[in-house]
Amino acid sequence: IQDDHKLSASELEEKYGTSVNKGLSSARAAEILARDGPNSLTPPKATPEIVKFLKQMVGGFSILLWIGAVFSWISFGIQFAQGAESPFDNLYLGVVLAVVVILTGIFAYYQEAKSTNIMASFSKMIPQQALVIRDAEKKELSADQLVVGDIVEIKGGDRIPADIRLIFTQGCKVDNSSLTGESEPQSRSCDFTHENPLETKNVAFYSTTCVEGTATGIVINTGDRTIIGRIASLASGVGHEKTPIAIEIEHFVYLVAGVAISIGVLFFIISVSMRYKILDSIIFLIGIIVANVPEGLLATVTVSLSLTAKRMAKKNCLVKNLEAVETLGSTSIICSDKTGTLTQNRMTVAHLWFDNQIYSADTSEDQTTQPFDQSSPSWTALSKIVTLCNRAEFRPGQENLPIMKRVVVGDASETALLKFAEVILGNVMNIREQNKKVAEIPFNSTNKFQLSIHETDDPNDKRFLLVMKGAPERILERCSTIMINGKEEPLDSEKAAAFQTAYMELGGMGERVLGFCHLYLPENEFPDTYPFDTDSMNFPTSNMCFVGLLSMIDPPRSTVPDAVSKCRSAGIKVIMVTGDHPITAKAIAKSVGIISATSETVEDIAKRLNIPVEQVNRREATAAVINGMELKDMSLQQLDEILCNHSEIVFARTSPQQKLIIVEGCQRQGAVVAVTGDGVNDSPALKKADIGIAMGIAGSDAAKNAADMVLLDDNFASIVTGVEEGRLIFDNLKKTIAYTLTKNIAELCPFLIYIITSIPMPIGTITILFIDLGTDIIPSVALAYEKAESDIMNRRPRNKMKDRLVNEQLAVYSYLQIGIIQSVGAFITYFTVYAEQGFLPSTLLGVRVNWENNAINDFEDSYGQEWTKYQRMYLQWTGYTAFFVSITIQQVADLIIRKTRRNSIFQQGLFRNKVIWVGIFSQIGIALILTYGLGHATALNFTPLRFQYWFVAVPFAILIWAYDEVRKLFIRRYPGSWWDKNMYY
Amino acid sequence: ENKHEEKVQDPDRREDETKAEMGRKTWADLAGEMKMFLWNPEDRTCLGRTAKSWGLILLFYFVFYTCLAGMFAFCMYVMLLTLSPYTPTYRDRVFPPGVMIRPYLNGFTIAFNVSQPSTWQPYVDSMHHFLAAYDDKVQEERNIECVSGQYFIQGGNESEEKKACQFKRSLLQNCSGIEDPTFGYSKGQPCILLQMTRGQKKNRIIGYRPGAGVPVSVDCKVQKGNESDLRSVDFYPGNGTFDLMYYPYYGKITHVNYTSPLVAMHFTDVKKNYLVPIQCSLNGKGIINNVNSDRFLGRIIFALSIGK
């Protein structure tokens, strides 16, 4: 803990060996730079690329395939040593498996890298410059060259280049929002005002911005030792949990690997006990592993996720970590910032009070007119004060932009008033020119008003107009009359009471209220040449005429209320966490629906029933507004109680650390928590959250680094579209996996039957790879384009404990029902091919040993024909091709049925998802190329197949479709029935 | 520490906590869970299902698989109905014919020492065994004599039994094993029998007719190496041809006693004490004997190694 803020300037000079006027010498600065290092934050430690790459190589199913490859090479080695006839088959198989693993690994790595690169472009910072005094000269230096003891000068608009103890200030205000989340600019001075260095006014912090004024200060901390640097390192200390989809995929990989290994080992034992050679048994084991592992699936999942990520990027959600795509879908609590996310992040005039009446103004983002009644002469007077008593100005050269988008020089309230006036009156600058300003007192915190004196635009009226705005009660103090319908009336107690009511009402809405008054200075006392002096105040500032009130608020974005209600129907709790005042927070929460119109807080109930807060039954209150101060004194248990018992919660005046506590509290409820944030101070919470969402426009780099997702438009509504996409992809991944798993059985059965009944091998390992990585890839990606079956935003978020991606029903239905039908269909084709060539099914049983014997070249078939080994092999490959074609044909049916899980295909529409058809055509196209395109080259074990064999499995494809329609019909007809429970996945 | 205490204080919350800590289970927890999964005495469930539930699901799968098996059987039955019992639907894959040799014991290298009868006796036994079916007596009993030099085409109904032509062992002359029961092995001049594989080519009525009117003949040469290693080979019968009368073949069911014709090769002068690789090929119209992938199509490669 430093106490630099308590030291005087001279003590500081001494401590840092510097001089306020001359600064450090270059040599000394170089020394310190060498000691402390550059003034920049150490970037978070990135995983080395090679580690990332290797992780892809061993993740998921890769291990199983590596084992398969190694087994292949071992058996090649043994066979080669024994001098067997064709040992190279196993060598090739091993190589193919290794290539498959490496290619899918490279693919996954590439996908991952692509999404990281998008982010990298974000964090590129423009090198910052700082104005430093060194060697008694002012120099522009790159900010990272700053060292402790440097004297820097800052002016409005600059980013503070390091932690600075201020020694000279002039109207300096800083925006600490990136540090504390408070959007209100804070004034800075040289005075030591608080024990806590974070609260004292004479320190400005690294990465905050100077909004206005100028200041000079001594650098007291640089780089990672700055406050921001310490928070950033705190963020890197927060562990990142596995994403829900990663857990699901892991679960699925374990499941499939478990099935693969247990079947593999079981049949290894069976084949050994059936007196197969160990070597043969190992080769069977490889085949079983390859058949069981959906080689292409993880790549497909990655592609599906990145497709969704792309779709989300179009909707302004930029996903940094692909898996976060789905996390958003399972989100059950969103902890949202207020400023900028729920609101527009700009003050806007919301209400007016004149003529004893409250008018509301349009606060939408793209207002062009204001609908309230502007006929009253009071409004004319008020508008004049609003226009004239205002120092804000539009930057020149923006005439073609809509008013709301123009950049303004000035503080937030004045900007709001300027834009408000411009919208209603048009060309404010022109009006100001016609009413020349002769004197002005800017706003300051002691007198709490702003005043200016103008000539009038009426050439016949030689009076000066004094206009004043400020804190309403201060303004009222100075008034003796009040304008009603354009007429000045004495300000009696009744009118004062009306003012009070209006003021309270507007204040109660969480709005910042300003009072406006004016005074026409009598012509005789203040002639044209009167020398106005703002220091001696040689003009009246009392007995003025009160004109009206204007109240401003940072209004909610117009899309937010709708988005919040969508969240509500989607079962997502929205919690507002803000550094703002509770009243403002509550008002915004009410206007966007985070606190619904009918619900009450404990305080509301107390007020309604007129009883003390303590007597209220806390369970009756659905809403809660919790102050940061209260939160500080709460135990974890109390926090949990609040999170549990209230459905509508607002946390106001919270500090960054408290945000982290809130997130942890939500996670303790088992919720998947999304957190939005923009400041550096948010980064620990962003990191802790299941999905951290940083703001793209307002967000700091640290926040973007810590987040999983960046909202390009800073809009809460974009999160909701993201949720929708996330839920859809979860459903669609389910379909993809169901589709992919099905044919694994059709690939596995041949091996099992081959081992048990010793028929010629129905399908080869290489052929299986052609299905898994060839024909099936595009269709399974196509399922990612499937539309939702019902309104996915009307159901609750999935329960991460219960709603698994791959559940028992999915596995059982795919493996034991559709998969078995596919196998039967494929075996019919297999037997047909052999029978029509002369081998009746009965002849095939038990022929394996002789069939595969290279020396037997007069193998007799059912008709007495004799076959050479090669002729048999060729027939076997024809069998592979036929089996392959049959699986492909039945996978078309499988693809169609997987479009829906509950609805009939006819409800979903067969042609709505065009990509499915691309998938089907690609599937058949690839199969045609493999079958006929290679001619008689049999390196890949494909042979040109007689055309009619393509249709043998068609009845089974139709059966699959019909059966699945029946399944879905029963599920829809009898919800909750035995059928529904066992057949719905 | 604090957190832990709270957990103990509040049992309701404790359950939630454990749920949240799913990822951090110990082995004992896992074992307990596994046991519970295998048999849960409270709900009386085994593997997560009650007896009734198991009964229903097993019944379902019994019905499901029975139906599927029925469909499989039906499809197979229909498929088999379309097949002719006499000729295969397609005969493109067994054409053109391949070649096999006898004796065939365990490989295509015939190696023996003349002076050691035990090295060639197995070959001789194998030959005798193989030629038993070709004994003149057996042939005369079973088969008819046919007209040499022309195809033995038998019309009539497809299902009618077909006659087979005699192929008498004696046709093989020096290699018949009648005069020399050792088939020349004892003299270092081994006989090897060559057989053409059977196939039923062309249309259903008439099977494969090798040579298209001209008998297929056999010749042998050294496969790789010095031509002079193989100085003379005698072929029986008729200079090593497969007589046309043995064709076509009408299939196992109707052509019951069909006897495959043979060509005997008598290697009378082969380089001794040396592994001589020999390729014997079929020659004739429609015969293919130069496909790289199939080394038994229209030719056969074997090695002779005759020691003293």
Side-chain angles (χ1 to χ4, degrees), chain A residues 85 635-637 640 667-670 801 808 812-813 815-818 820-821 824 827-828 831-832 835-838 840-841 853-858 860-871 874-875 878 936 946 948-949 955-956 959 963 978-979 982-983, chain B residues 3 6 9-10 13 16-17 19-20 22 49 53 56-57 60-61 64-65 68 71-72 75-76 79-80 82-100 102 104 108 195-200 249 251-253 260 293-297:
Chain A
E85 284 265 340
S635 67
L636 290 179
Q637 215 175 325
D640 287 353
Q667 283 174 335
R668 272 200 301 278
Q669 320 291 314
M801 300 298 165
E808 184 197 314
V812 165
Y813 182 66
Y815 274 156
L816 296 185
Q817 298 184 28
I818 302 298
I820 296 287
I821 298 180
V824 170
F827 265 107
I828 295 276
F831 282 123
T832 307
E836 296 202 327
Q837 289 287 357
L840 297 183
N853 189 334
N854 283 317
I856 297 180
N857 283 290
D858 53 354
E860 200 179 297
D861 66 15
S862 315
Y863 292 88
Q865 304 184 103
E866 288 169 331
W867 296 67
T868 67
K869 172 72 201 295
Y870 183 80
Q871 286 168 342
Y874 195 90
L875 178 58
T878 310
H936 287 264
R946 282 198 160 75
Q948 65 267 34
Y949 293 140
F956 287 87
L959 174 71
Y963 175 64
W978 177 88
W979 185 271
N982 284 286
M983 299 299 234
Chain B
K3 242 172 132 181
E6 271 172 35
Q9 280 163 9
D10 192 343
R13 284 203 12 81
D16 288 353
E17 289 261 351
K19 257 190 208 163
M22 279 285 270
R49 284 180 185 278
S53 167
L56 269 172
I57 203 86
F60 170 80
Y61 277 102
F64 182 82
Y65 288 140
L68 211 52
M71 182 141 174
F72 177 77
C75 285
M76 290 294 276
M79 186 267 289
L80 291 176
T82 65
L83 300 179
S84 149
Y86 310 110
T87 26
T89 317
Y90 300 112
R91 284 159 288 171
D92 53 340
R93 294 269 66 97
V94 275
F95 167 80
V99 175
M100 261 306 270
R102 290 291 185 284
Y104 173 75
F108 293 98
Q195 188 184 5
M196 187 157 72
T197 60
R198 296 190 291 257
Q200 299 171 283
Y249 173 52
K252 206 168 161 181
I253 296 180
S260 283
S293 53
D294 191 350
R295 299 196 302 157
F296 297 91
L297 193 68

Side-chain angles (χ1 to χ4, degrees), chain A residues 2 93 439 668 693 703 728 736:
Chain A
Q2 272 179 320
L93 180 60
R668 272 200 301 278
I693 304 168
L728 184 58
T736 300

Side-chain angles (χ1 to χ4, degrees), chain A residues 689-731:
Chain A
D690 295 284
I691 176 167
I693 304 168
M695 298 297 131
I697 303 169
S700 61
D701 290 326
K704 284 178 195 163
N705 267 332
D708 306 292
M709 212 176 91
V710 176
L711 275 193
L712 292 179
D713 59 354
D714 289 14
N715 190 347
F716 182 81
S718 306
I719 301 179
V720 178
T721 53
V723 169
E724 202 167 350
E725 290 292 343
R727 289 188 174 189
L728 184 58
I729 196 64
F730 185 82
D731 284 5

Side-chain angles (χ1 to χ4, degrees), chain B residues 44-61:
Chain B
R44 305 188 61 74
T45 58
C46 171
L47 300 173
R49 284 180 185 278
T50 60
K52 190 184 161 209
S53 167
W54 270 115
L56 269 172
I57 203 86
L58 289 178
L59 179 70
F60 170 80
Y61 277 102

